Each structure stands twice: as structure tokens, then as C-alpha cells.
Amino acid sequence: MYRFLLIGIIAVLLSSCGARTGASQEEGDTLQLKYSSLLTIVRHDGFTQVDIRNPWKEGKLLHTYILVPRSSQLPAHLPHGTVVRTPVERAAVFTTVHCSLLATIGRADRIVGVADLKYIKIPYVQQQVSAGRIADCGSGMNPMVEKIIDVKPDVILLSPFENSGGYGKLEEIDVPLVECAEYMETSPLARAEWMKFYGMLFGKEQTTDSLFAVVDNNYQSLRQDVRQLGAGRSVVLDKMVGTVWYVPGGRSTIGQMVQDAGGRYPWADDSHSGSLSLAFESVLERAGDADVWMYRYSSDHSHTFHELLSEYHGYRQLQAFADRNVYACNVEQTLFYEESPFRPDYLLSDFIQILHPDTPNPKPLRYYQKLHE
């Protein structure tokens, strides 16, 4: 009797262990991300599932990717999602920032097509396009689909937008569209952490893990330094585009960076992670007395106060303009868009120097320069 009872207990234990093991395999091993609120990455036996939360629709997914090693057979029962064979060998890349990241991690040679070439300030890409080894696929908003088909990409990297209405003919050519939504994250480090996802796509996971650790450590060290400096100056960001002033929302990566730099931001209590479209009068009312004005522009030469005023006479009403505390970033003459999304530590350093003018042992500014007469 005791013998049969013992066998029964062992059988129950084995079956329960088997059940737990099966559940563990089904649930997978979730990668612990430190900052990202949009990414969920789960490793399974034979594939990795990457879920991207929709930043514009609460509780909805923007996309699910199923990453399957190129060297293995496709598993029989995969969850629903876009299958991407990794490492990616051929990519069409529609943004300069992602071209730059691929160059940084040693995967620029995987780029076979680009869009909006005039905005991509990466010598390697420009040279390869001139040599005919990378295809210029035209505008990112209306790409030349035939050229994309000709270069046979494994994936197309592009940025999604709210209410974009989809991607038109790109959705019909059976090439996975990787929606690069990291710009909608609510902190600079959360945005930068997406490099881990791209590292997985291009077989450079260890490289991106190491790079992110450096970025994270540098950023946190700078934040620690700020605590010794006290409250920084108040700041208004960017400038008029036509009749609209696009102000970074309080929960945007730039809005968060102002806080991390110890600055005072008039829209700090705003809940938007994107930009706010405001009339000049609204900006003037809320931020007209800001100590500093920092903006970005695109030009083949450096701005002057006279040139800035010729764009819009209302600027003279800003206190920072009157006090000549204006700092400008020429995106044509710096690598602002290429570097700062995945190297927010570089940009935070600039913010700290500008918002704390009495910082001991100040570092050279990388992107912004004080405006001259």
C-alpha cells in the first residue's frame, strides 16, 4: 500500500513540475527594461516576441514583432505578429537617426535603401548612394515603392505618426515595416533604451546593451551633478514654424530633459509626450519671461539676432531675447538629430551648461551656441 502511495505522490509531483515547466515556456522570459514604457520583449524557445504599445491609444498595441533567428527553421506555432528573420541583412531606413545608430553599432553596411536623403548627414550613406550601392527611395511620405522592391530589403524602418492613415503601398509589398516609435517615449533614457530592440534586429545585442549601459551611467552621473547646483534658469524652447509654435509637451523627452537638467519649464505640468501647437500669444503669455530661449533651426550659416527678428518681429517681446540669453542649435552644422536620441547624455550636458551658467568647470557645448548680434 505504502509503495503505491509513494508512486502516486511522485507521479503528482512530476506532473505538477511538468505543468509549471510548460507554463514557463509558454510565458517566456521577459527582458527587464529599465525605462521604456512602450516596449515589452519576451524571449521564447525559438523566437522573441516584441510588443510595442500604442502611444496614442491607451491599452492598445501598435505592433507585435516575432523575431526568429535566420539560422533556424520557423517554429510551427508562432503567436500572431509580423515575423522578422534576424539578424537583418538588408534594410531600407527612412530616418537619419536610425542610419546613425546602425553606423554606430557597425551595421551601416546593412542599409540598402534610404528615404529623405537630403536630411541624412552620414558620410557613409551619402557616399554609398553616390556609388549606387544604396538606393535613394525618394520622400519618406511618398517613397518610390519600385526602388524599394528592387533592393529587396528584409525590413523597412520608419517612424509612425498619429492618425497617419497607414503606409499606403508599402503595406502591399510584403516587407516587414518596423515602426520606430521611440520618439513617443516620456523620458530620454526610455527613448535611448530602444537601441536594445534594434540591436536584436541586427545581431548586435551585446553591442547595444554595452552602449546603453554607458549612456545610462553618464546620464545618471550628470543628474547627480545637477543636484549640487540648485535650481536652474527657466527656459522656453524652439520657435515659430509658419504661424504655429510647436512646444515640447511636459512629458516629452525634451520636457523631461529640462527637469533632469534642473531647469524650470513653463509646460512642466503638461501631460503630452508629443508637441503642443500654440499661437505666439499663448507662448508669450506663459513663457514670455523665461530666462533663456533655446531653439533649433536649419541653415547653411549661423543665425544672428537680426536674422531671427526678421523671421518674426514678435520675438522682441520675449525677455530672453531682450536680455540676449538665446542659444541656437543649427541642425545642419551639428549632429543633433543623428546623435541625441540615442545619446541623450550628450544633450543633457548642453542643457546643464546653459541652464546653470555658473557651473564649475563647464564643458564645451556640443549642439547649442549662444546667438550673436
Side-chain angles (χ1 to χ4, degrees):
M1 179 69 180
Y2 174 78
R3 178 183 172 189
F4 288 116
L5 180 61
L6 182 61
I7 292 173
I9 291 173
I10 293 173
V12 169
L13 289 173
L14 287 174
S15 65
S16 64
C17 287
R20 284 199 298 270
T21 301
S24 175
Q25 288 175 349
E26 183 177 341
E27 292 170 3
D29 182 16
T30 301
L31 181 68
Q32 297 302 313
L33 298 172
K34 291 184 68 174
Y35 305 102
S36 175
S37 63
L38 298 181
L39 280 179
T40 301
I41 302 175
V42 183
R43 301 181 193 277
H44 297 268
D45 184 18
F47 68 94
T48 298
Q49 180 171 332
V50 181
D51 290 329
I52 301 177
R53 186 172 64 82
N54 192 318
W56 301 287
K57 295 181 180 178
E58 189 69 30
K60 300 290 186 180
L61 286 179
L62 179 68
H63 214 126
T64 294
Y65 296 97
I66 310 299
L67 312 186
V68 181
R70 187 177 294 276
S71 58
S72 65
Q73 289 188 342
L74 207 62
H77 302 289
L78 288 174
H80 180 73
T82 299
V83 175
V84 179
R85 288 294 199 148
T86 59
V88 169
E89 296 180 343
R90 302 175 64 82
V93 185
F94 283 15
T95 59
T96 186
V97 61
H98 298 101
C99 285
S100 179
L101 178 64
L102 292 182
T104 298
I105 65 175
R107 284 292 188 254
D109 60 335
R110 303 297 171 90
I111 302 172
V112 296
V114 294
D116 296 319
L117 178 63
K118 65 180 179 180
Y119 299 119
I120 299 178
K121 299 196 304 294
I122 300 168
Y124 172 83
V125 173
Q126 293 286 345
Q127 292 163 6
Q128 294 299 300
V129 171
S130 297
R133 288 187 283 269
I134 292 179
D136 178 0
C137 300
S139 165
M141 299 301 292
N142 187 27
M144 293 181 280
V145 176
E146 295 78 9
K147 282 197 172 185
I148 296 174
I149 294 173
D150 287 344
V151 296
K152 299 179 175 61
D154 299 325
V155 295
I156 300 172
L157 271 61
L158 40 69
S159 295
F161 296 97
E162 185 178 15
N163 302 320
S164 66
Y167 300 103
K169 291 184 178 180
L170 288 179
E171 296 177 339
E172 302 173 6
I173 62 175
D174 197 29
V175 176
L177 304 178
V178 177
E179 299 192 270
C180 305
E182 72 271 2
Y183 74 96
M184 288 300 295
E185 289 280 4
T186 57
S187 79
L189 288 174
R191 182 178 189 178
E193 195 167 25
W194 274 58
M195 71 171 70
K196 295 182 177 181
F197 170 42
Y198 302 124
M200 289 180 173
L201 283 175
F202 288 89
K204 282 288 189 174
E205 189 172 350
Q206 289 186 344
T207 300
T208 51
D209 284 352
S210 298
L211 176 58
F212 182 72
V214 170
V215 172
D216 188 15
N217 289 337
N218 288 349
Y219 197 96
Q220 297 299 350
S221 178
L222 287 167
R223 287 184 65 188
Q224 188 67 34
D225 293 343
V226 165
R227 292 171 187 167
Q228 315 302 320
L229 300 176
R233 299 193 285 187
S234 57
V235 61
V236 59
L237 298 168
D238 292 327
K239 65 185 182 74
M240 298 287 287
V241 178
T243 60
V244 177
W245 191 317
Y246 293 98
V247 173
R251 295 192 64 203
S252 66
T253 55
I254 295 296
Q256 180 64 53
M257 188 170 288
V258 173
Q259 297 181 52
D260 290 342
R264 289 173 287 127
Y265 187 46
W267 285 271
D269 60 350
D270 173 75
S271 62
H272 292 85
S273 57
S275 296
L276 306 174
S277 305
L278 302 176
F280 175 78
E281 291 74 20
S282 298
V283 176
L284 182 64
E285 180 180 359
R286 192 158 183 170
D289 60 350
D291 300 319
V292 184
W293 179 15
M294 298 171 63
Y295 72 88
R296 293 165 290 181
Y297 69 103
S298 176
S299 177
D300 60 0
H301 63 277
S302 297
H303 256 184
T304 64
F305 280 99
H306 175 76
E307 189 172 0
L308 186 58
L309 200 59
S310 69
E311 289 185 5
Y312 191 78
H313 285 285
Y315 290 149
R316 68 171 69 250
Q317 300 177 67
L318 299 173
Q319 188 63 49
F321 185 94
D323 294 342
R324 295 306 195 251
N325 282 325
V326 181
Y327 291 79
C329 168
N330 188 345
V331 299
E332 292 297 328
Q333 297 179 346
T334 68
L335 295 175
F336 179 90
Y337 288 123
E338 287 74 19
E339 291 180 341
S340 64
F342 293 109
R343 292 305 306 255
D345 50 326
Y346 290 165
L347 184 56
L348 180 61
S349 179
D350 269 19
F351 272 56
I352 292 171
Q353 309 307 315
I354 294 170
L355 299 179
H356 299 271
D358 298 325
T359 301
N361 303 315
K363 300 175 182 177
L365 293 175
R366 190 181 188 94
Y367 305 115
Y368 286 87
Q369 297 297 328
K370 195 165 189 178
L371 209 65
H372 299 291
E373 295 292 345

